[in-house]
Every structure is written in C-alpha cells, then in structure tokens.
Amino acid sequence: MKNNTRVSNAIIRRLPRYRRYLGDLRSRGVKKISSNELSELIGYTASQIRQDLNTFGGFGQQGYGYSVDHLYAEINKILGLDREYKTVVVGVGHLGQAITNHILNYKFGFSIVGLFDVNPTIVGLAINGVKVQNSSELEDYVRNNNIDIGIICCGKDNAQEVADTLVRGGVEGIWNFAPIDLDIPERIAIENVHLSESLHTLSFLISSKEKENR
C-alpha cells in the first residue's frame, strides 16, 4: 500500500462508499469485479475509481479486475477498520441512544463501553447492557480504560467542555453531533456531523429542482 498521509479529503470520503458496495457484493457471493462494473453500481466513473484505488496501490489486475474479497479487506485496512475502537457516548438523550443502538448493531470495529449523562433520570439506566454513568466520571473513565473515540451527543452549550474532558482523558478522536465547531488540538481527529446543515442542504436541493421544473 502506498503512503496515504496526503490523501485528499474527497478520496477519503469516497472509500466508505466503495466498502459498502463491496460488502454487498461479498454477501451475494461475487468474487471479482471490474472498474466499469463498479462504476455502474456506485455512480463514479471507472476512471475515478481506478484513480482513487491507485492512490493506495491499485489492487487490480489487468484483464481480471478486482478481487472483491481482497479489495474489501484492503479498504478496511486503509480506513483503519482492521482494529477495534473503544468508544464512549456523552449525552444519552434520543440522539445519543439512537447512535448507541446503531453502533451496537453495526458490530464492526467499534465497541461502546461507556455512556455518560448529567440527567439524574438517565444515570444508572442500562442501554443494550451498557450502564449510563454520571458525566463527572468521564475523564477518569476515559483515561483508565484507554478510550479511543468520544461521541458527543449533548447540546452545544456543553459540547466544548465535554470535548476538553475527552481530550484530557486521552481520546484519539471525537465524533461530534453537537451543532457547534469545537476547538481541539490538532493531534485529535474530529468528524463533525451537523444534522441541521445536512437538512438545510436538502432544502436547497429541493428548492433548486423546483425552480428547474418551473
């Protein structure tokens, strides 16, 4: 595999889509596939697919195409899914519970080992077998249990404080669902999921199509 330290963000965001389609192909028993066939499935051009995969070494053979199993495994490695990530969720309201249930059902590379909230009616409850702890215990728990990822599902007023606590505890990455841009050290990886911005984008697309159809 080639050095991927300077891979563009656009390529990185296409890789999970490749993985999803390859996973579906594997479940159907497909053993090999060409870039043209992948293009028809995914919607990217065959040239784009080859270019993306060549960034990491190619993985295809002239006249054969790609081994679905091998390419799926290699993309898992590129995405860092060949290891287990210990994860905590902070903010166990409706969104936090939905995220927790999704990850626990996903069962690939991510394990939720801790849930945290400040609401006394939630603290002490168990969600899918994981007990909700008081957020005052978060930093020590993260540090003592070598937590890799902190998932922030609380409101924006508390999100920065939660992020600071996670950083002090030693997380490697933060998955942020709070509607705020967080100030964190560059050594910490962060992925922001602003649901309202995604909904606003959808609103724009609907409006644009309405104008086109007039």
Side-chain angles (χ1 to χ4, degrees):
M1 189 193 321
K2 294 181 181 178
N3 187 309
N4 62 356
T5 56
R6 296 184 180 180
V7 178
S8 74
N9 190 57
I11 294 176
I12 293 169
R13 294 194 178 279
R14 286 194 287 270
L15 289 177
R17 188 176 176 91
Y18 292 141
R19 180 186 177 277
R20 175 160 55 87
Y21 277 90
L22 288 165
D24 181 61
L25 291 169
R26 290 177 76 240
S27 70
R28 293 191 277 120
V30 178
K31 295 301 182 183
K32 67 176 183 178
I33 193 166
S34 69
S35 56
N36 287 326
E37 290 169 327
L38 268 178
S39 174
E40 293 178 4
L41 286 173
I42 299 177
Y44 305 144
T45 66
S47 175
Q48 180 70 77
I49 291 170
R50 290 192 296 270
Q51 183 177 341
D52 287 349
L53 297 178
N54 282 337
T55 302
F56 303 96
F59 313 119
Q61 299 177 25
Q62 187 71 30
Y64 177 85
Y66 300 101
S67 162
V68 171
D69 286 340
H70 178 67
L71 185 55
Y72 182 81
E74 289 299 323
I75 289 179
N76 278 339
K77 291 179 183 178
I78 294 166
L79 290 172
L81 294 175
D82 55 343
R83 56 167 286 193
E84 185 81 10
Y85 294 93
K86 296 174 68 176
T87 305
V88 296
V89 176
V90 186
V92 196
H94 294 303
L95 176 60
Q97 291 183 38
I99 295 298
T100 298
N101 289 327
H102 173 73
I103 292 176
L104 290 173
N105 291 327
Y106 185 53
K107 294 180 181 178
F108 193 95
F110 302 89
S111 60
I112 292 182
V113 297
L115 302 173
F116 294 85
D117 206 289
V118 295
N119 187 338
T121 64
I122 296 178
V123 173
L125 299 178
I127 299 176
N128 268 339
V130 183
K131 183 179 178 181
V132 180
Q133 303 176 60
N134 194 292
S135 293
S136 62
E137 304 173 34
L138 177 62
E139 183 175 343
D140 286 342
Y141 184 90
V142 170
R143 181 179 295 110
N144 294 334
N145 291 277
N146 299 314
I147 301 301
D148 301 299
I149 298 173
I151 303 175
I152 299 178
C153 295
C154 62
K156 67 178 182 179
D157 292 340
N158 301 315
Q160 184 62 57
E161 181 181 354
V162 169
D164 293 341
T165 302
L166 291 168
V167 170
R168 290 196 303 270
V171 298
E172 297 179 35
I174 292 175
W175 199 17
N176 175 40
F177 285 85
I180 185 174
D181 293 325
L182 300 172
D183 181 16
I184 62 169
E186 290 188 4
R187 72 178 186 278
I188 306 296
I190 185 167
E191 176 71 7
N192 293 300
V193 183
H194 296 326
L195 298 178
S196 62
E197 292 180 9
S198 180
L199 192 58
H200 294 162
T201 300
L202 177 61
S203 174
F204 168 79
L205 294 172
I206 292 172
S207 178
S208 297
K209 288 186 178 298
E210 287 177 344
K211 292 175 181 177
E212 291 175 2
N213 294 329
R214 286 173 186 169

